[in-house]
Amino acid sequence: MSLFNWLQQRGLCLVAAFMCSGVHASLIVATADLPSCPPQPPFPDRELRLNAQRQATDRGFLWLISRDGRDSYLYGTIHAGRPEWFALGPKLESSLFRSGVLALEIDATDPAVLTELRRVSSGAARPLPADLMHSLRKAWVAECLPPADLDLGAAEYHATRLAVAQAQRAGLFPMYGAEAVLLLYSLRAERPVVGLESVDTQLSALLARNDEEAAAMVREMLAELQRPQAARSLERLAHAWASNDLRDLEKYPEWCDCLNTATERETYDRLVDGRNPGLADAIDKLHAGASVFAAVGALHMVGKQGLPALLQAKGFKVQRVF
């Protein structure tokens, strides 16, 4: 399973926790000057924002969805982005500001959501076999993550944080992901923000169902960190998103090298296509009362079970904008 597959499949819970955990961020920044550590995201100061604005273009995948005399929007996102993407393109910005509500996979501004995420990260540690725990600690230290964090919380949650660290090495940061930028624009405009899924739904995608599955998830992630193909797949997915290359995204199962086993294929089906009907139902209900800008991970947009297809089956007229 590719590194970005972990980030995209497991949705926004990890990204929200990473962005909102001030203690975690401060501990990482303390070691950020070490040459072997992942780079830290630059602060979005005036110079960075002006530079992003000069490069503003429509990235990702946007559809206009219409029914019952009302227009809404469906946007395929990337959960970690580059600082130069910290500005909306003209079509994206216009579509967002024509909508009445921003709908993300989860509402990261909800205090109850953040409380639940903190519980997962600071609760009782899940036991792992000694050799696996040793490997996890070794990888953890290599990414300059706080050693004490491994003494608390779900081990599979920690494994996913390693994927975030690897994305940072490629210059991709959660705080510059599409959802973070959309959220900032919407908060400034006082646009309502809602979640399409509950935090429990997202956590069921992030967390293992038992100790055996947790150990398997950690082993899988640690093995993935050693594969040169992982970085190439990460770059290709980011490039497909940034260049609006929907055709290449549709071929993702062919080139990601992440669906080689029955377990990997079952996980992908459960976490991507398996969540799409619930996401489509939530968008459908919101559209009945307001114009919605629904922003969901790009992998949820492709195939016969993708959100554009499911919404079309619900009677929406679905038109690709870019």
Side-chain angles (χ1 to χ4, degrees):
M1 184 179 294
S2 73
L3 294 173
F4 228 57
N5 216 22
W6 277 76
L7 295 180
Q8 292 294 89
Q9 284 186 21
R10 281 156 175 78
L12 283 173
C13 263
L14 177 73
V15 174
F18 186 88
M19 291 193 302
C20 298
S21 174
V23 173
H24 169 61
S26 66
L27 287 170
I28 293 181
V29 170
T31 59
D33 57 338
L34 299 179
S36 62
C37 293
Q40 297 305 301
F43 184 78
D45 57 17
R46 183 174 182 273
E47 182 179 354
L48 184 148
R49 288 183 277 112
L50 288 174
N51 181 57
Q53 193 60 53
R54 285 191 291 267
Q55 301 179 60
T57 188
D58 289 308
R59 302 178 179 91
F61 312 98
L62 181 68
W63 287 264
L64 172 67
I65 58 173
S66 308
R67 198 188 63 191
D68 303 327
R70 177 177 288 128
D71 292 340
S72 287
Y73 298 90
L74 178 66
Y75 183 53
T77 67
I78 194 168
H79 294 331
R82 306 192 190 283
E84 57 266 32
W85 298 347
F86 194 58
L88 301 182
K91 293 180 181 177
L92 185 62
E93 184 172 9
S94 175
S95 300
L96 177 63
F97 277 84
R98 282 201 297 267
S99 64
V101 59
L102 172 65
L104 302 174
E105 292 176 30
I106 61 168
D107 178 7
T109 68
D110 183 349
V113 170
L114 300 181
T115 296
E116 185 64 12
L117 294 178
R118 293 190 186 100
R119 182 193 65 79
V120 170
S121 64
S122 61
R126 188 191 291 272
L128 290 178
D131 65 323
L132 183 57
M133 192 65 198
H134 175 77
S135 297
L136 177 59
R137 287 192 181 278
K138 184 177 179 181
W140 197 257
V141 171
E143 299 300 343
C144 303
L145 293 166
D149 282 12
L150 285 182
D151 296 331
L152 297 171
E156 62 273 28
Y157 167 86
H158 298 319
T160 312
R161 282 172 62 185
L162 292 174
V164 172
Q166 286 293 297
Q168 289 178 220
R169 291 188 182 278
L172 294 159
F173 305 99
M175 70 178 292
Y176 292 111
E179 291 85 1
V181 178
L182 290 167
L183 182 59
L184 177 61
Y185 273 73
S186 293
L187 292 176
R188 285 177 176 173
E190 298 185 346
R191 177 177 297 100
V193 179
V194 299
L196 296 170
E197 294 181 312
S198 69
V199 67
D200 289 340
T201 299
Q202 285 259 314
L203 286 175
S204 69
L206 174 66
L207 301 177
R209 290 166 287 192
N210 51 56
D211 289 352
E212 182 178 323
E213 185 175 71
M217 290 170 66
V218 173
R219 289 189 190 279
E220 181 182 319
M221 187 71 254
L222 293 177
E224 181 66 22
L225 293 172
Q226 306 301 317
R227 296 177 58 255
Q229 177 64 23
R232 292 193 292 270
S233 295
L234 171 63
E235 288 287 352
R236 184 167 177 175
L237 185 56
H239 180 268
W241 183 85
S243 60
N244 321 113
D245 193 344
L246 185 61
R247 182 171 297 181
D248 200 39
L249 185 70
E250 290 171 339
K251 296 178 180 178
Y252 177 78
E254 301 173 17
W255 54 257
C256 72
D257 194 28
C258 62
L259 300 173
N260 299 316
T261 69
T263 299
E264 288 178 342
R265 290 188 291 271
E266 185 277 332
T267 300
Y268 184 89
D269 289 342
R270 175 168 56 88
L271 299 182
V272 180
D273 288 350
R275 288 167 53 210
N276 285 350
L279 290 166
D281 287 344
I283 295 169
D284 185 14
K285 291 176 183 177
L286 285 170
H287 177 85
S291 176
V292 181
F293 191 98
V296 180
L299 290 178
H300 293 277
M301 303 297 156
V302 298
K304 295 180 179 179
Q305 295 301 313
L307 289 177
L310 293 180
L311 290 169
Q312 189 169 32
K314 289 179 174 292
F316 284 87
K317 180 180 180 181
V318 179
Q319 298 173 275
R320 176 89 184 276
V321 179
F322 61 77

